[in-house]
mmCIF file of all heavy atoms in Angstrom:
data_model
loop_
_atom_site.group_PDB
_atom_site.id
_atom_site.type_symbol
_atom_site.label_atom_id
_atom_site.label_comp_id
_atom_site.label_asym_id
_atom_site.label_seq_id
_atom_site.Cartn_x
_atom_site.Cartn_y
_atom_site.Cartn_z
ATOM 1 N N LYS A 1 62.448 247.661 167.506
ATOM 2 C CA LYS A 1 62.962 247.027 166.289
ATOM 3 C C LYS A 1 62.924 245.505 166.410
ATOM 4 O O LYS A 1 62.519 244.800 165.465
ATOM 5 C CB LYS A 1 64.393 247.503 166.036
ATOM 6 C CG LYS A 1 65.007 246.938 164.761
ATOM 7 C CD LYS A 1 66.418 247.472 164.557
ATOM 8 C CE LYS A 1 67.033 246.898 163.279
ATOM 9 N NZ LYS A 1 68.425 247.413 163.093
ATOM 10 N N GLN A 2 63.315 244.996 167.553
ATOM 11 C CA GLN A 2 63.284 243.555 167.760
ATOM 12 C C GLN A 2 61.855 243.025 167.753
ATOM 13 O O GLN A 2 61.583 241.945 167.216
ATOM 14 C CB GLN A 2 63.977 243.209 169.083
ATOM 15 C CG GLN A 2 65.483 243.450 169.056
ATOM 16 C CD GLN A 2 66.134 243.201 170.404
ATOM 17 O OE1 GLN A 2 65.445 243.016 171.407
ATOM 18 N NE2 GLN A 2 67.450 243.204 170.438
ATOM 19 N N LEU A 3 60.932 243.778 168.334
ATOM 20 C CA LEU A 3 59.524 243.366 168.318
ATOM 21 C C LEU A 3 58.980 243.349 166.891
ATOM 22 O O LEU A 3 58.234 242.435 166.512
ATOM 23 C CB LEU A 3 58.686 244.308 169.187
ATOM 24 C CG LEU A 3 58.892 244.208 170.699
ATOM 25 C CD1 LEU A 3 58.009 245.221 171.410
ATOM 26 C CD2 LEU A 3 58.590 242.806 171.198
ATOM 27 N N ARG A 4 59.331 244.353 166.103
ATOM 28 C CA ARG A 4 58.852 244.385 164.711
ATOM 29 C C ARG A 4 59.439 243.214 163.915
ATOM 30 O O ARG A 4 58.738 242.590 163.111
ATOM 31 C CB ARG A 4 59.234 245.714 164.058
ATOM 32 C CG ARG A 4 58.370 246.885 164.522
ATOM 33 C CD ARG A 4 58.429 248.018 163.533
ATOM 34 N NE ARG A 4 57.660 249.159 163.944
ATOM 35 C CZ ARG A 4 56.350 249.292 163.775
ATOM 36 N NH1 ARG A 4 55.666 248.306 163.206
ATOM 37 N NH2 ARG A 4 55.723 250.394 164.157
ATOM 38 N N ASN A 5 60.719 242.928 164.116
ATOM 39 C CA ASN A 5 61.325 241.785 163.417
ATOM 40 C C ASN A 5 60.662 240.478 163.845
ATOM 41 O O ASN A 5 60.435 239.584 163.014
ATOM 42 C CB ASN A 5 62.827 241.728 163.714
ATOM 43 C CG ASN A 5 63.583 242.856 163.055
ATOM 44 O OD1 ASN A 5 63.117 243.436 162.063
ATOM 45 N ND2 ASN A 5 64.748 243.197 163.567
ATOM 46 N N LEU A 6 60.348 240.378 165.135
ATOM 47 C CA LEU A 6 59.660 239.179 165.628
ATOM 48 C C LEU A 6 58.279 239.048 164.990
ATOM 49 O O LEU A 6 57.888 237.961 164.551
ATOM 50 C CB LEU A 6 59.549 239.250 167.151
ATOM 51 C CG LEU A 6 58.868 238.061 167.836
ATOM 52 C CD1 LEU A 6 59.706 236.798 167.653
ATOM 53 C CD2 LEU A 6 58.662 238.350 169.321
ATOM 54 N N SER A 7 57.551 240.144 164.914
ATOM 55 C CA SER A 7 56.219 240.126 164.307
ATOM 56 C C SER A 7 56.300 239.759 162.835
ATOM 57 O O SER A 7 55.496 238.965 162.326
ATOM 58 C CB SER A 7 55.539 241.494 164.474
ATOM 59 O OG SER A 7 55.416 241.831 165.835
ATOM 60 N N LYS A 8 57.265 240.353 162.135
ATOM 61 C CA LYS A 8 57.438 240.066 160.709
ATOM 62 C C LYS A 8 57.769 238.595 160.486
ATOM 63 O O LYS A 8 57.309 237.974 159.529
ATOM 64 C CB LYS A 8 58.543 240.957 160.151
ATOM 65 C CG LYS A 8 58.753 240.805 158.651
ATOM 66 C CD LYS A 8 59.837 241.762 158.173
ATOM 67 C CE LYS A 8 60.055 241.621 156.663
ATOM 68 N NZ LYS A 8 61.132 242.551 156.204
ATOM 69 N N LYS A 9 58.563 238.029 161.382
ATOM 70 C CA LYS A 9 58.981 236.632 161.246
ATOM 71 C C LYS A 9 57.792 235.685 161.373
ATOM 72 O O LYS A 9 57.716 234.672 160.671
ATOM 73 C CB LYS A 9 60.027 236.324 162.316
ATOM 74 C CG LYS A 9 60.506 234.881 162.329
ATOM 75 C CD LYS A 9 61.544 234.677 163.419
ATOM 76 C CE LYS A 9 61.991 233.208 163.482
ATOM 77 N NZ LYS A 9 62.987 233.003 164.564
ATOM 78 N N TYR A 10 56.865 235.993 162.258
ATOM 79 C CA TYR A 10 55.761 235.073 162.537
ATOM 80 C C TYR A 10 54.454 235.477 161.868
ATOM 81 O O TYR A 10 53.435 234.821 162.084
ATOM 82 C CB TYR A 10 55.546 234.953 164.049
ATOM 83 C CG TYR A 10 56.608 234.111 164.708
ATOM 84 C CD1 TYR A 10 57.761 234.704 165.228
ATOM 85 C CD2 TYR A 10 56.489 232.732 164.785
ATOM 86 C CE1 TYR A 10 58.752 233.938 165.818
ATOM 87 C CE2 TYR A 10 57.475 231.957 165.377
ATOM 88 C CZ TYR A 10 58.610 232.563 165.894
ATOM 89 O OH TYR A 10 59.588 231.811 166.471
ATOM 90 N N LEU A 11 54.473 236.542 161.060
ATOM 91 C CA LEU A 11 53.269 236.941 160.350
ATOM 92 C C LEU A 11 53.126 236.078 159.114
ATOM 93 O O LEU A 11 53.997 236.092 158.236
ATOM 94 C CB LEU A 11 53.335 238.419 159.955
ATOM 95 C CG LEU A 11 52.071 239.002 159.328
ATOM 96 C CD1 LEU A 11 50.919 238.943 160.339
ATOM 97 C CD2 LEU A 11 52.302 240.441 158.889
ATOM 98 N N LYS A 12 52.048 235.294 159.027
ATOM 99 C CA LYS A 12 51.884 234.341 157.930
ATOM 100 C C LYS A 12 51.333 235.010 156.689
ATOM 101 O O LYS A 12 50.533 235.915 156.743
ATOM 102 C CB LYS A 12 50.959 233.206 158.358
ATOM 103 C CG LYS A 12 51.572 232.294 159.412
ATOM 104 C CD LYS A 12 50.689 231.109 159.686
ATOM 105 C CE LYS A 12 51.354 230.150 160.662
ATOM 106 N NZ LYS A 12 50.533 228.969 160.919
ATOM 107 N N ARG A 13 51.789 234.482 155.549
ATOM 108 C CA ARG A 13 51.290 234.959 154.259
ATOM 109 C C ARG A 13 51.159 233.757 153.333
ATOM 110 O O ARG A 13 51.844 232.764 153.493
ATOM 111 C CB ARG A 13 52.235 235.992 153.633
ATOM 112 C CG ARG A 13 52.348 237.274 154.443
ATOM 113 C CD ARG A 13 53.292 238.256 153.768
ATOM 114 N NE ARG A 13 53.382 239.501 154.500
ATOM 115 C CZ ARG A 13 54.199 239.716 155.513
ATOM 116 N NH1 ARG A 13 55.005 238.754 155.906
ATOM 117 N NH2 ARG A 13 54.232 240.882 156.144
ATOM 118 N N GLY A 14 50.301 233.884 152.319
ATOM 119 C CA GLY A 14 50.150 232.802 151.347
ATOM 120 C C GLY A 14 48.819 232.097 151.489
ATOM 121 O O GLY A 14 48.156 232.151 152.522
ATOM 122 N N SER A 15 48.437 231.388 150.446
ATOM 123 C CA SER A 15 47.111 230.762 150.403
ATOM 124 C C SER A 15 46.954 229.690 151.475
ATOM 125 O O SER A 15 45.938 229.595 152.146
ATOM 126 C CB SER A 15 46.868 230.151 149.024
ATOM 127 O OG SER A 15 47.886 229.200 148.726
ATOM 128 N N LYS A 16 47.999 228.864 151.668
ATOM 129 C CA LYS A 16 47.897 227.817 152.681
ATOM 130 C C LYS A 16 47.776 228.409 154.071
ATOM 131 O O LYS A 16 46.981 227.964 154.898
ATOM 132 C CB LYS A 16 49.126 226.912 152.600
ATOM 133 C CG LYS A 16 49.094 225.768 153.612
ATOM 134 C CD LYS A 16 50.337 224.919 153.471
ATOM 135 C CE LYS A 16 50.316 223.793 154.509
ATOM 136 N NZ LYS A 16 51.530 222.940 154.421
ATOM 137 N N GLU A 17 48.553 229.460 154.314
ATOM 138 C CA GLU A 17 48.514 230.099 155.625
ATOM 139 C C GLU A 17 47.200 230.831 155.829
ATOM 140 O O GLU A 17 46.674 230.895 156.926
ATOM 141 C CB GLU A 17 49.702 231.048 155.763
ATOM 142 C CG GLU A 17 51.030 230.290 155.819
ATOM 143 C CD GLU A 17 52.222 231.185 155.559
ATOM 144 O OE1 GLU A 17 51.996 232.307 155.076
ATOM 145 O OE2 GLU A 17 53.351 230.767 155.838
ATOM 146 N N GLU A 18 46.649 231.403 154.745
ATOM 147 C CA GLU A 18 45.343 232.055 154.856
ATOM 148 C C GLU A 18 44.271 231.031 155.218
ATOM 149 O O GLU A 18 43.354 231.315 155.976
ATOM 150 C CB GLU A 18 44.999 232.750 153.542
ATOM 151 C CG GLU A 18 45.861 233.991 153.273
ATOM 152 C CD GLU A 18 45.587 234.574 151.900
ATOM 153 O OE1 GLU A 18 44.763 233.981 151.178
ATOM 154 O OE2 GLU A 18 46.189 235.602 151.566
ATOM 155 N N GLN A 19 44.400 229.824 154.658
ATOM 156 C CA GLN A 19 43.427 228.795 154.980
ATOM 157 C C GLN A 19 43.550 228.391 156.441
ATOM 158 O O GLN A 19 42.557 228.189 157.134
ATOM 159 C CB GLN A 19 43.648 227.573 154.080
ATOM 160 C CG GLN A 19 42.604 226.466 154.282
ATOM 161 C CD GLN A 19 42.836 225.293 153.355
ATOM 162 O OE1 GLN A 19 43.837 225.241 152.671
ATOM 163 N NE2 GLN A 19 41.908 224.359 153.347
ATOM 164 N N GLU A 20 44.795 228.289 156.936
ATOM 165 C CA GLU A 20 44.998 227.945 158.339
ATOM 166 C C GLU A 20 44.403 229.001 159.267
ATOM 167 O O GLU A 20 43.953 228.700 160.355
ATOM 168 C CB GLU A 20 46.489 227.787 158.622
ATOM 169 C CG GLU A 20 47.095 226.534 158.006
ATOM 170 C CD GLU A 20 48.580 226.422 158.274
ATOM 171 O OE1 GLU A 20 49.153 227.415 158.766
ATOM 172 O OE2 GLU A 20 49.155 225.354 157.995
ATOM 173 N N CYS A 21 44.404 230.267 158.806
ATOM 174 C CA CYS A 21 43.857 231.338 159.639
ATOM 175 C C CYS A 21 42.348 231.249 159.785
ATOM 176 O O CYS A 21 41.747 232.006 160.514
ATOM 177 C CB CYS A 21 44.251 232.711 159.060
ATOM 178 S SG CYS A 21 45.985 233.122 159.376
ATOM 179 N N GLY A 22 41.729 230.299 159.046
ATOM 180 C CA GLY A 22 40.309 230.079 159.241
ATOM 181 C C GLY A 22 40.013 229.455 160.582
ATOM 182 O O GLY A 22 38.882 229.510 161.065
ATOM 183 N N PHE A 23 41.013 228.855 161.202
ATOM 184 C CA PHE A 23 40.853 228.265 162.537
ATOM 185 C C PHE A 23 41.124 229.339 163.585
ATOM 186 O O PHE A 23 42.036 230.153 163.435
ATOM 187 C CB PHE A 23 41.816 227.098 162.718
ATOM 188 C CG PHE A 23 41.602 225.980 161.742
ATOM 189 C CD1 PHE A 23 42.503 225.764 160.719
ATOM 190 C CD2 PHE A 23 40.504 225.161 161.848
ATOM 191 C CE1 PHE A 23 42.322 224.733 159.815
ATOM 192 C CE2 PHE A 23 40.307 224.122 160.948
ATOM 193 C CZ PHE A 23 41.210 223.905 159.929
ATOM 194 N N THR A 24 40.336 229.303 164.647
ATOM 195 C CA THR A 24 40.446 230.371 165.653
ATOM 196 C C THR A 24 41.808 230.383 166.332
ATOM 197 O O THR A 24 42.331 231.451 166.643
ATOM 198 C CB THR A 24 39.353 230.209 166.725
ATOM 199 O OG1 THR A 24 39.511 228.937 167.386
ATOM 200 C CG2 THR A 24 37.967 230.278 166.109
ATOM 201 N N ASN A 25 42.407 229.192 166.557
ATOM 202 C CA ASN A 25 43.703 229.199 167.233
ATOM 203 C C ASN A 25 44.798 229.770 166.347
ATOM 204 O O ASN A 25 45.711 230.428 166.820
ATOM 205 C CB ASN A 25 44.072 227.804 167.733
ATOM 206 C CG ASN A 25 44.183 226.779 166.610
ATOM 207 O OD1 ASN A 25 45.272 226.410 166.199
ATOM 208 N ND2 ASN A 25 43.059 226.307 166.084
ATOM 209 N N HIS A 26 44.703 229.548 165.010
ATOM 210 C CA HIS A 26 45.660 230.155 164.081
ATOM 211 C C HIS A 26 45.412 231.657 163.955
ATOM 212 O O HIS A 26 46.358 232.453 163.979
ATOM 213 C CB HIS A 26 45.546 229.498 162.695
ATOM 214 C CG HIS A 26 46.128 228.124 162.631
ATOM 215 N ND1 HIS A 26 47.438 227.873 162.330
ATOM 216 C CD2 HIS A 26 45.564 226.910 162.865
ATOM 217 C CE1 HIS A 26 47.658 226.575 162.352
ATOM 218 N NE2 HIS A 26 46.538 225.961 162.679
ATOM 219 N N GLN A 27 44.145 232.037 163.806
ATOM 220 C CA GLN A 27 43.805 233.443 163.645
ATOM 221 C C GLN A 27 44.153 234.249 164.899
ATOM 222 O O GLN A 27 44.637 235.380 164.812
ATOM 223 C CB GLN A 27 42.319 233.599 163.317
ATOM 224 C CG GLN A 27 41.884 235.025 163.051
ATOM 225 C CD GLN A 27 42.652 235.663 161.921
ATOM 226 O OE1 GLN A 27 42.712 235.113 160.815
ATOM 227 N NE2 GLN A 27 43.251 236.823 162.151
#
């Protein structure tokens, strides 16, 4: 449960975050 909450907290969403995921270190 703690791992899932941690993953949910740091999982990015949104157009700006999607653009950041274009970089290998973000992705």
Side-chain angles (χ1 to χ4, degrees):
K1 182 179 180 181
Q2 291 176 350
L3 289 179
R4 285 200 182 278
N5 290 337
L6 181 65
S7 301
K8 184 178 180 181
K9 177 180 178 181
Y10 285 92
L11 186 63
K12 291 186 176 182
R13 295 180 178 86
S15 58
K16 181 180 179 181
E17 292 164 346
E18 289 174 358
Q19 184 179 8
E20 289 179 350
C21 285
F23 299 108
T24 61
N25 61 103
H26 286 271
Q27 183 58 54

